[in-house]
């Protein structure tokens, strides 16, 4: 949409960085990708992403940063409008760490000072999570999300908000908009997209 002009995207657990590189090369009538931050715990993966970005003349858009999804203590997320995780659930430890960071983003207004302008992007950030259906640890991610969200909320979290779907982001947003009056759940759930993906059929142009 038009309010996404000049956005910053952060990929968590980027590996070879295909989503980051694709995003960096994407410009539409309404959206300008100003900055893409590819993060990973593996320095070699970050070197590969930066090399690929340079080769594709995207070095002015793509930056890399060390970030450990399993660190839930002193690991501060880069500031971004959109966070992406693509098929990162390789272990239970990573899945639970990813869930913790997701919940922190969804409830960042409660976690950080409203006057802190450095978190202006994160406070309204969307989170897109892609995973293949056969990834066993993606269910660990969802269950940990439920546990953490129930600790945050006075009411039990509606589990349907954490269902993996095959719908597009636009369809997901429309479904949220069609709901009844906004509740605590819908206020965060319309920023989260859990999407099934078949990576063998994904075309990175």
């Amino acid at each position: 949409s038009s309010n996404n002009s000049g956005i910053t995207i952060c990929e968590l657990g980027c590996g070879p960085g295909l989503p980051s590189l694709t995003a960096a090369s994407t410009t539409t009538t309404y959206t300008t990708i100003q900055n893409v931050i590819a993060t990973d715990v593996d320095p070699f993966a970050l070197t590969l992403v930066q090399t690929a970005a340079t080769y594709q003349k995207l070095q002015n858009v793509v930056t890399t940063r060390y970030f450990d999804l399993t660190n839930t203590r002193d690991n501060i997320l880069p500031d971004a409008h959109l966070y992406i995780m693509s098929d990162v659930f390789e272990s239970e430890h990573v899945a639970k760490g990813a869930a913790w960071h997701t919940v922190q983003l969804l409830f960042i207004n409660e976690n950080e000072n409203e006057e802190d302008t450095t978190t202006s992007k994160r406070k309204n950030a969307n989170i897109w999570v892609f995973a293949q259906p056969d990834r066993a640890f993606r269910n660990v991610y969802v269950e940990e999300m439920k546990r953490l969200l129930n600790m945050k909320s006075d009411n039990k979290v509606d589990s349907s908000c954490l269902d993996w779907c095959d719908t597009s982001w636009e369809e997901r947003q429309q479904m949220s908009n069609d709901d009844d009056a906004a509740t605590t759940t819908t206020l965060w759930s319309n920023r989260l997209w859990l999407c099934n993906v078949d990576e063998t059929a994904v075309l990175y142009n």
Side-chain angles (χ1 to χ4, degrees), residues 38-89:
T39 75
D40 203 280
V41 71
D42 183 359
F44 181 65
L46 298 179
T47 298
L48 289 178
V49 174
Q50 199 64 65
T51 300
T54 301
Y55 179 78
Q56 297 177 41
K57 296 180 169 51
L58 299 171
Q59 68 271 22
N60 292 331
V61 180
V62 177
T63 58
T64 58
R65 173 174 162 179
Y66 176 90
F67 187 85
D68 183 358
L69 273 171
T70 66
N71 184 345
T72 59
R73 292 188 176 183
D74 55 359
N75 226 10
I76 300 175
L77 284 165
D79 200 18
H81 298 94
L82 171 63
Y83 294 86
I84 295 174
M85 286 184 279
S86 181
D87 217 27
V88 300
F89 306 126

Side-chain angles (χ1 to χ4, degrees), residues 187-202:
L187 287 174
W188 61 255
S189 67
N190 63 6
R191 295 166 49 208
L192 178 66
W193 182 29
L194 305 183
C195 185
N196 289 315
V197 64
D198 178 1
E199 291 212 339
T200 63
V202 174

